[in-house]
């Protein structure tokens, strides 16, 4: 059993969202969590990266992408010239599903409002979709393979569709594509 994290209060609207996430009981995942995991990063971020849901390490630390997938993400962001501290990193679902199962439709629906708020507060240049759960939740689309690496504009927001970094741990052959996507993300961050 891990310890609950008392978050250092973040000012402003993002802090308000994080505070509400940390005590959220909108779905059953609140019962099994150690910590809810709000997004992290500056309100001035030009990019938001959206994963699926916290894993074990994230649940223990109360921070997104701090386990194995996070190490892949850190490395590939750095390789693409994107300091992690400049982007906002979050998940569709803010609490860890049991045994890291894929979140259910109900869990996604219960949580999606927080993600929409994070995106609307930050109003980023680009939202980077990391994997199938984020793709389904944000764009209502299934099947990453055909559209990976493309930018989709919906409701005046640009979305870059990419893989979940964990996928490259199981399938090393996917790493070059993920690297290209992170380079594309770097270009979008700098573009007007
Ligand atoms: N996988 C995710 O989708 N999100 C995390 O925060 C960690 C692993």
């Amino acid at each position: 059993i891990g310890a609950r994290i008392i978050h250092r209060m973040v000012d402003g609207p993002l802090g308000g969202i994080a505070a509400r996430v940390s005590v959220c009981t909108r779905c059953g995942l609140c019962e099994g969590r150690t910590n809810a995991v709000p997004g992290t990063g500056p309100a001035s971020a030009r990019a938001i990266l959206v994963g699926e849901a916290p894993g074990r390490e994230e649940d223990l630390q109360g921070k997104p992408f701090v386990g194995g997938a996070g190490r892949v993400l850190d490395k590939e962001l750095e390789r693409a010239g994107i300091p992690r501290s400049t982007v906002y990193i979050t998940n569709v679902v803010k609490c860890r599903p049991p045994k890291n199962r894929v979140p259910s439709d109900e869990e996604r629906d219960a949580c999606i409002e927080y993600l929409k708020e994070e995106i609307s507060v930050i109003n980023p240049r680009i939202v980077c979709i990391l994997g199938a759960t984020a793709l389904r939740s944000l764009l209502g689309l299934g099947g990453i393979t055909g559209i990976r690496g493309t930018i989709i504009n919906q409701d005046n927001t640009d979305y870059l569709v990419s893989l979940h970094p964990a996928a490259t741990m199981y399938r090393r052959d996917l790493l070059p594509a993920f690297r290209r996507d992170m380079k594309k993300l770097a270009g979008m961050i700098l573009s007007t």
Side-chain angles (χ1 to χ4, degrees):
I1 305 277
R4 295 242 158 77
I5 308 291
I6 309 294
H7 283 278
R8 195 170 57 81
M9 273 305 181
V10 180
D11 289 336
L14 288 176
I17 299 168
R20 281 181 283 123
V21 164
S22 68
V23 295
C24 182
T25 56
R26 285 189 199 172
C27 83
L29 293 181
C30 66
E31 282 157 32
R33 75 180 177 222
T34 313
N35 294 287
V37 180
T40 56
S44 59
R46 296 265 299 162
I48 300 185
L49 287 80
V50 184
E52 178 174 277
R56 183 172 177 277
E57 201 54 44
E58 290 78 18
D59 171 72
L60 291 174
Q61 295 191 37
K63 294 184 194 140
F65 282 101
V66 291
R71 279 188 287 281
V72 173
L73 184 60
D74 285 352
K75 185 169 165 213
E76 298 310 324
L77 285 175
E78 188 182 346
R79 206 168 186 275
I82 304 170
R84 175 168 170 148
S85 61
T86 64
V87 296
Y88 189 84
I89 299 184
T90 192
N91 285 298
V92 172
V93 166
K94 292 346 190 213
C95 296
R96 183 194 184 196
K99 298 182 182 157
N100 298 345
R101 65 161 167 74
V102 175
S104 68
D105 290 352
E106 292 74 21
E107 289 156 357
R108 287 195 286 110
D109 290 349
C111 215
I112 192 72
E113 221 31 61
Y114 294 123
L115 176 59
K116 297 224 160 125
E117 280 189 61
E118 290 171 305
I119 294 173
S120 116
V121 165
I122 293 171
N123 188 25
R125 174 69 187 86
I126 182 90
V127 176
C128 182
I129 288 175
L130 299 173
T133 293
L135 181 62
R136 174 159 299 289
S137 300
L138 285 168
L139 298 180
L141 298 174
I144 283 207
T145 315
I147 53 172
R148 201 229 89 248
T150 65
I151 290 165
I152 295 176
N153 184 278
Q154 191 168 292
D155 298 329
N156 288 319
T157 302
D158 283 329
Y159 296 87
L160 169 62
V161 179
S162 188
L163 306 166
H164 195 286
T168 70
M169 298 161 68
Y170 310 119
R171 292 256 324 258
R172 295 292 291 175
D173 58 310
L174 294 175
L175 191 56
F178 188 67
R179 286 189 170 155
R180 284 198 298 280
D181 295 347
M182 293 303 105
K183 274 282 175 206
K184 195 161 196 165
L185 180 63
M188 288 302 291
I189 288 171
L190 294 175
S191 78
T192 50

